[in-house]
Amino acid sequence: MSQEYAVQEAKGDAVCFVPGSPLFSVLMEPASFCYPRLTFLRSPYGQFGASAGSSQDLAPWPQRLVPQRWSRPVDESPPAAMSRNGYFFEESGYLKCDTDDVKEEGAGEELFDGVNSTIVSGDSIRFFVNVNLEGPPSATAESEGAGCVLLHTSRKYLKLKNFEEEVRAQRDLDGFLARASIILDETATSLDDVLREMLKHFAEDPENMEPSCNFEKIMNTLFTDSGTPREGNGTPDVSESTGMNVQTCPSHLKFHLLSDTIQGVTATVTGVQYQQSWLCIICTIKSLQRRHVCISRLERPQNWGENSCEVRFVILVLAPPKMKSTKTATEVGRTFATMFSDITFRQKLLETKTEEEFKEALVHQRHLLTVANQRPSGMKDGHKSQGNKPLKLHDFLNIGKGISDDIARRFPVYALDFTDGIIGNNKAIGKYITTMIFLYFACLLPSIAFGSLNDENTRGAIDVRKTIFGQCIGGLLYALFSGQPLVVLLTTAPLALYINVIRGICDDYHLDFSAFYAWIGLWNSFFLVIYSLFNFSLLMKLFKRSTEEIIALFISITFVLDAIKGIVKVFKKYYYHGHTGGVKSRADAIPGLGINTTFLMNSSVSENQTCTHDGHYGRETAVLSLMLMLGTLWLGHTLYQFKKSPYLHARVREILSDCALPISVLTFSVVGSYIFKEIEMSKFNYNASDSLFVLAPVQSLSIGSVMSAMGLGFLLSMLFFIEQNIVASLTNAPENRLVKGTAYHWDLLLVALINTGLSVFGLPWIHAAFPHSPMHVRALAYVEERVESGHIYETIVSVKETRLTSLMANFLVGLSLLLLPFPLQWIPKPVLFGLFLYIALTSIDGNQLFERVALLLKEQTAYPPTHYIRRVPQRKIHYFTGLQVLQLLILCGFGMSPLPYMKMIFPLIMIGMIPIRYNLLPRIIEAKYLDAMDAEY
């Protein structure tokens, strides 16, 4: 049964409150008209409507509604039934819906705190106003929809602020207490008046002065009035159940809707429950110079609409737009909203009498939140310590346990490594093809580059053919039998460096290079087998993320330096050739740049042939080499980032991004070898007569030489151990979301067996390569772009873990032997230098060390909202970054030293970073901050 009350005609100003979403008041201009009939309907399911003749059971209403108080009497009182239930009352100036002061009655703090939202719940109360204006029905029908606009409402969940981890939580409250703006027992009843009093409090406070601020403009900014219709009989509202609804109101009504608010909600079985007794209003104002926070405690609970039926606290947060991501109005509002989400805390605030007591309650609540957040953190750390329990001697004496665990973990899903993405619903054949093409070029081109370098250093003992063949054999075996098939094996720059040092030792002591090389490789494999059997890979738990990123960035720097060395060599040979003083004097005039030019160029053009050309021809070669290198880098990186552009279809963009490397290499190979074919470019040597299967004469060395090879083999095994495990760890990083498990011990044993065969036949060694392995994961990943605090970042949703891409890529590398010498010799060396730059540039994506170095060049407003920005003070971040850079420089000093024997001990420098991280850094920076910066998220 419906209850209807006709309101008689009245003249003058009137303000009618109509609850809606999220909050608004209706301002009526002076007019004379018939007031509408107020219809209150409630269905048994909690859905409300407005109709004149509905018949619903209204018996439960008194139990569902909070008793209302009429502000002051007017000429005509409402009917008895309405006065008794206390729903609405019309007065000159205000028509309010105010709840009684429940604190005085001792009924608890909030009767309405926790009323369900009408989004999903049936316990909330909804009020509709049926508007019947005087005038012909036809006129009303004709004007229906005139002046109507659409209002968009967006909601998102915010995490409660962690007062123990997020440093801004403590600092936000400290800043507020230093310049506290607190209003106790505010008597204003309307939202507009309350906000005006809070802004007035700002203006009168000498510590919060804003000389260039117009508080009337701030008042207008707090509400979404722009675009609200001033004429016509339609104005929009947002229905919380559908997201959009259009309701009609008189033509002279103006709606006030708060632009940005934060409220507490609780998920229940019946839906989402709103905390009704507090409201946090946030706003960004351009004219402000700093952040301001004001808290107002109302004298009586106020009903300001649905989901805010008993407001006692209003928190107003104002902030300028250009702020650090952790200092925005939303972040400050999140701090205070987290505190006010506790009902016990709000009850204590109601009992305070002075501002000092109010502040003490805030400080006490901060202490409680800090302690409360420590409990789950401690539980989490305890769980983590269970998984990463301290290493004991027994863990290393249990021979073979790590290998057996790896096999038991990976063997059940071995068949899925061949069928995932091929059979079933989630096929990824197209992604497999593009990844295979990328991986083929990513394996072939470094093999050519380092094969050319080894050919120069060993005088043909290890050439391009052997490097490609070794890559094919080792890659196929690893792809078939490894526990982590997404890891890519390659010969790398440090291995080329070791080979160069070994050749120098053989020349100094007149040793057979093939035999000495084989013995070093055999000793290396022997030590790797020992490491795998005695579970030495467990030591990698001691390598924190920061240490791994130092080593990863060191490898990227070596790629850049190799490219620079190569192009400097080209300019020394061609650009300065044929001028006064001769080639040598011109070359000596070029500064050495402090670079050890180990990446030597091997031109197929002899010196005499080059001298027959004039100097201008040589300059063309040098300039073209520079353009090919930079062009390869530019096109490759542009296509790699093309997936972020709006052009073409998403699938096409993804294909172009995955094939960025082969497209750029092929394009500039054609440019250098065909379009500018009259300009001679350097090419690698090709010796077709050498056999690929020649056993090394290991018996020709003396016992002393074999024992000396053991020392070099031990140092080499340290390099293998660190590189293999760190690359595998970076590949299996939590953000990559791999699900099939790891196999560190088994893979280390497999690498040892593979390199045993390579050593005996004089083929170059291979181990896990960075950044090729993480790039392989990225190519097989499904990535989404997400936005947080205005910053766009990519996150991996899932990865297709398969062996097929690595198998096919290495098989194609083997078939590439048929392409020697042509067309592979058409790939100019400067294109390979551009490849090195491309690999180095793409490898720094996601490297936190590089990101934190970049922070030194950014303004604070551009800082991303990363976990370490939230949890660690800015000064500590820069201290930690500086210490990491210092370690990186030390590592580069040894790894790039002009002294050959200094380079061979740089794996020991990597291991030396462990005691630095655990013993030295905690004395400079607090351990909790170090752990936060080493955390994954």
Side-chain angles (χ1 to χ4, degrees):
M1 167 178 184
S2 65
Q3 299 183 8
E4 301 180 1
Y5 304 101
V7 182
Q8 297 183 358
E9 179 178 350
K11 295 184 179 181
D13 295 339
V15 179
C16 177
F17 177 80
V18 182
S21 171
L23 294 169
F24 60 84
S25 60
V26 182
L27 309 181
M28 294 185 179
E29 299 174 356
S32 174
F33 56 89
C34 291
Y35 280 78
R37 293 178 300 169
L38 305 180
T39 305
F40 305 86
L41 302 179
R42 181 186 186 278
S43 71
Y45 303 100
Q47 302 297 325
F48 293 82
S51 79
S54 302
S55 58
Q56 299 287 352
D57 183 11
L58 298 180
W61 277 32
Q63 290 78 23
R64 295 288 184 180
L65 293 178
V66 173
Q68 308 293 320
R69 176 188 294 110
W70 311 112
S71 296
R72 58 179 181 266
V74 291
D75 294 339
E76 292 190 14
S77 300
M82 186 173 183
S83 176
R84 200 166 45 245
N85 290 333
Y87 298 137
F88 279 88
F89 181 76
E90 181 267 327
E91 64 169 350
S92 176
Y94 296 93
L95 178 60
K96 300 191 186 70
C97 178
D98 298 338
T99 56
D100 285 338
D101 188 356
V102 295
K103 183 183 72 170
E104 296 176 359
E105 298 175 2
E109 183 219 356
E110 347 174 336
L111 291 177
F112 259 82
D113 197 33
V115 173
N116 288 343
S117 165
T118 55
I119 300 176
V120 290
S121 171
D123 293 334
S124 58
I125 297 170
R126 204 165 189 181
F127 305 98
F128 286 85
V129 177
N130 289 338
V131 180
N132 295 324
L133 299 179
E134 289 183 340
S138 59
T140 303
E142 289 178 0
S143 62
E144 184 177 359
C148 178
V149 296
L150 301 178
L151 178 68
H152 174 258
T153 298
S154 178
R155 293 182 177 87
K156 66 177 181 179
Y157 287 104
L158 297 176
K159 293 182 180 179
L160 293 175
K161 209 152 203 176
N162 191 319
F163 275 68
E164 197 272 332
E165 292 184 352
E166 300 189 49
V167 294
R168 288 309 315 177
Q170 309 281 346
R171 296 187 177 185
D172 288 342
L173 184 57
D174 290 338
F176 172 75
L177 295 176
R179 298 182 301 271
S181 182
I182 301 173
I183 302 176
L184 299 180
D185 299 329
E186 174 60 52
T187 58
T189 55
S190 70
L191 179 59
D192 285 35
D193 291 342
V194 171
L195 292 177
R196 289 186 185 277
E197 288 296 325
M198 298 175 80
L199 294 178
K200 181 180 177 182
H201 196 271
F202 279 137
E204 295 175 351
D205 189 351
E207 296 183 356
N208 293 312
M209 290 295 292
E210 290 282 354
S212 61
C213 187
N214 187 328
F215 287 98
E216 189 62 33
K217 290 184 178 179
I218 295 180
M219 191 68 186
N220 295 333
T221 308
L222 291 174
F223 294 94
T224 307
D225 290 338
S226 177
T228 303
R230 296 295 190 271
E231 296 181 357
N233 67 340
T235 192
D237 181 24
V238 176
S239 171
E240 297 199 60
S241 58
T242 62
M244 184 170 293
N245 188 29
V246 177
Q247 295 177 344
T248 59
C249 290
S251 60
H252 40 271
L253 299 187
K254 175 185 174 184
F255 276 47
H256 259 357
L257 296 93
L258 284 173
S259 300
D260 212 349
T261 62
I262 299 177
Q263 279 186 278
V265 295
T266 304
T268 64
V269 177
T270 57
V272 176
Q273 288 186 338
Y274 280 75
Q275 295 181 352
Q276 309 265 332
S277 65
W278 64 275
L279 180 66
C280 181
I281 304 171
I282 59 179
C283 187
T284 300
I285 307 295
K286 293 182 179 179
S287 58
L288 293 181
Q289 297 179 357
R290 55 187 177 85
R291 298 170 298 163
H292 298 276
V293 179
C294 181
I295 300 177
S296 178
R297 186 183 69 186
L298 306 184
E299 184 179 15
R300 294 183 179 86
Q302 301 297 327
N303 189 336
W304 287 338
E306 191 177 33
N307 304 327
S308 297
C309 296
E310 196 193 38
V311 179
R312 292 300 304 269
F313 299 96
V314 178
I315 309 155
L316 178 61
V317 179
L318 306 177
K322 290 188 176 182
M323 295 295 293
K324 189 178 176 181
S325 59
T326 55
K327 298 180 181 179
T328 60
T330 302
E331 287 299 317
V332 178
R334 193 164 70 95
T335 298
F336 289 93
T338 301
M339 301 180 72
F340 276 82
S341 62
D342 186 356
I343 188 172
T344 306
F345 170 64
R346 296 195 298 272
Q347 184 65 40
K348 290 181 180 179
L349 291 182
L350 288 175
E351 298 170 356
T352 58
K353 304 297 182 182
T354 63
E355 287 192 12
E356 290 303 322
E357 294 180 1
F358 199 95
K359 293 180 183 179
E360 291 176 1
L362 290 172
V363 174
H364 181 66
Q365 178 67 7
R366 174 176 64 179
H367 173 72
L368 293 179
L369 288 174
T370 304
V371 174
N373 287 326
Q374 285 177 348
R375 292 193 190 110
S377 177
M379 292 171 61
K380 182 179 178 180
D381 292 342
H383 175 71
K384 183 177 179 180
S385 63
Q386 295 254 335
N388 297 328
K389 56 185 179 181
L391 298 177
K392 299 179 180 179
L393 182 61
H394 174 73
D395 297 330
F396 302 102
L397 296 180
N398 199 348
I399 300 177
K401 184 178 186 303
I403 296 176
S404 61
D405 290 345
D406 291 342
I407 295 176
R409 184 185 308 114
R410 287 292 302 181
F411 185 74
V413 295
Y414 182 79
L416 297 178
D417 293 339
F418 295 92
T419 59
D420 283 352
I422 302 297
I423 300 175
N425 296 328
N426 299 322
K427 291 185 172 64
I429 298 177
K431 181 172 282 292
Y432 284 2
I433 293 175
T434 57
T435 303
M436 177 195 66
I437 296 174
F438 153 75
L439 195 59
Y440 164 66
F441 281 89
C443 293
L444 175 65
L445 298 179
S447 298
I448 294 175
F450 291 115
S452 176
L453 175 60
N454 290 329
D455 184 37
E456 180 72 20
N457 293 337
T458 63
R459 293 189 287 276
I462 300 177
D463 58 3
V464 174
R465 289 178 68 245
K466 287 188 175 182
T467 305
I468 293 178
F469 183 73
Q471 173 64 39
C472 172
I473 297 300
L476 286 175
L477 292 175
Y478 191 83
L480 281 173
F481 302 111
S482 68
Q484 301 171 101
L486 298 186
V487 174
V488 179
L489 297 192
L490 283 174
T491 185
T492 60
L495 294 179
L497 168 67
Y498 264 74
I499 293 174
N500 186 29
V501 173
I502 292 171
R503 183 71 208 193
I505 294 175
C506 292
D507 292 341
D508 293 340
Y509 295 96
H510 307 288
L511 300 175
D512 182 87
F513 172 77
S514 298
F516 196 60
Y517 175 84
W519 272 112
I520 293 176
L522 291 175
W523 280 116
N524 168 58
S525 298
F526 170 77
F527 287 116
L528 291 180
V529 171
I530 296 298
Y531 301 157
S532 61
L533 289 177
F534 285 91
N535 312 315
F536 274 28
S537 291
L538 294 176
L539 292 173
M540 296 309 297
K541 294 181 179 180
L542 301 177
F543 278 84
K544 295 289 187 178
R545 175 172 183 156
S546 57
T547 307
E548 294 176 352
E549 290 183 340
I550 292 173
I551 298 174
L553 196 56
F554 166 77
I555 296 173
S556 300
I557 292 175
T558 60
F559 277 105
V560 175
L561 291 182
D562 283 340
I564 295 177
K565 294 171 189 176
I567 203 66
V568 167
K569 187 71 175 179
V570 170
F571 268 75
K572 283 184 177 182
K573 183 173 184 179
Y574 292 101
Y575 193 83
Y576 292 93
H577 174 72
H579 288 268
T580 305
V583 178
K584 187 177 185 306
S585 63
R586 281 292 180 173
D588 294 339
I590 303 176
L593 302 177
I595 300 172
N596 178 35
T597 55
T598 57
F599 199 108
L600 301 176
M601 298 295 298
N602 180 52
S603 175
S604 62
V605 184
S606 66
E607 188 68 24
N608 294 333
Q609 182 181 356
T610 307
C611 290
T612 60
H613 300 282
D614 55 19
H616 183 70
Y617 179 84
R619 287 188 171 184
E620 287 180 348
T621 300
V623 172
L624 180 60
S625 298
L626 179 63
M627 299 304 295
L628 291 178
M629 181 185 73
L630 297 179
T632 304
L633 170 64
W634 167 78
L635 182 59
H637 190 262
T638 300
L639 292 179
Y640 179 75
Q641 298 291 336
F642 194 73
K643 57 187 175 183
K644 300 179 181 179
S645 71
Y647 303 106
L648 304 180
H649 191 269
R651 181 56 183 161
V652 177
R653 295 198 300 266
E654 184 179 0
I655 293 176
L656 290 176
S657 178
D658 292 340
C659 298
L661 176 62
I663 292 175
S664 60
V665 169
L666 293 177
T667 299
F668 283 92
S669 295
V670 171
V671 171
S673 298
Y674 182 75
I675 297 179
F676 295 96
K677 58 184 176 181
E678 67 277 4
I679 300 178
E680 192 112 22
M681 302 297 296
S682 59
K683 301 179 176 63
F684 60 84
N685 282 339
Y686 173 70
N687 302 317
S689 58
D690 294 343
S691 175
L692 295 175
F693 297 98
V694 178
L695 287 174
V698 293
Q699 71 281 358
S700 63
L701 293 184
S702 62
I703 299 297
S705 299
V706 172
M707 298 310 295
S708 63
M710 182 179 68
L712 295 174
F714 173 74
L715 293 176
L716 183 62
S717 69
M718 299 300 297
L719 174 65
F720 267 76
F721 175 78
I722 294 175
E723 292 274 0
Q724 178 70 31
N725 285 284
I726 284 184
V727 172
S729 176
L730 293 173
T731 303
N732 288 277
E735 57 265 28
N736 290 339
R737 302 183 188 276
L738 302 184
V739 297
K740 292 184 179 179
T742 60
Y744 293 101
H745 311 280
W746 165 250
D747 284 354
L748 190 63
L749 176 63
L750 182 61
V751 168
L753 298 177
I754 291 173
N755 282 279
T756 299
L758 297 178
S759 301
V760 171
F761 289 101
L763 301 176
W765 302 309
I766 58 176
H767 60 61
F770 179 87
H772 303 74
S773 300
M775 292 172 67
H776 186 201
V777 175
R778 190 81 172 183
L780 290 170
Y782 292 94
V783 181
E784 285 184 356
E785 283 191 352
R786 297 178 181 176
V787 180
E788 182 178 355
S789 300
H791 295 266
I792 301 175
Y793 66 97
E794 292 183 342
T795 180
I796 294 177
V797 179
S798 62
V799 177
K800 290 293 183 181
E801 302 180 50
T802 180
R803 300 177 185 270
L804 299 178
T805 53
S806 184
L807 272 173
M808 292 304 301
N810 285 284
F811 177 74
L812 293 177
V813 168
L815 291 181
S816 299
L817 290 172
L818 303 177
L819 303 179
L820 288 173
F822 298 102
L824 288 184
Q825 269 195 329
W826 289 351
I827 301 178
K829 282 189 175 181
V831 173
L832 300 180
F833 303 154
L835 164 70
F836 289 162
L837 294 179
Y838 169 83
I839 291 175
L841 186 60
T842 54
S843 67
I844 62 178
D845 285 346
N847 188 296
Q848 284 187 12
L849 173 56
F850 183 81
E851 292 175 354
R852 282 187 270 108
V853 171
L855 292 181
L856 299 173
L857 306 176
K858 294 181 180 180
E859 59 177 348
Q860 290 191 2
T861 56
Y863 282 14
T866 56
H867 67 279
Y868 53 85
I869 293 292
R870 295 183 183 277
R871 300 179 186 177
V872 184
Q874 181 176 327
R875 182 176 300 177
K876 301 292 185 182
I877 293 176
H878 295 328
Y879 285 166
F880 184 70
T881 303
L883 293 172
Q884 278 189 291
V885 172
L886 181 60
Q887 296 178 72
L888 178 62
L889 293 177
I890 295 174
L891 189 60
C892 291
F894 281 88
M896 302 171 188
S897 171
L899 302 176
Y901 296 100
M902 288 284 287
K903 299 177 184 179
M904 301 194 68
I905 65 172
F906 84 93
L908 300 179
I909 305 301
M910 296 182 184
I911 297 178
M913 292 180 180
I914 296 178
I916 292 177
R917 169 61 180 83
Y918 283 92
N919 298 325
L920 179 60
L921 294 186
R923 300 186 179 184
I924 304 174
I925 302 174
E926 291 88 333
K928 64 177 182 179
Y929 295 145
L930 292 175
D931 294 337
M933 285 183 284
D934 277 331
E936 302 294 340
Y937 299 103

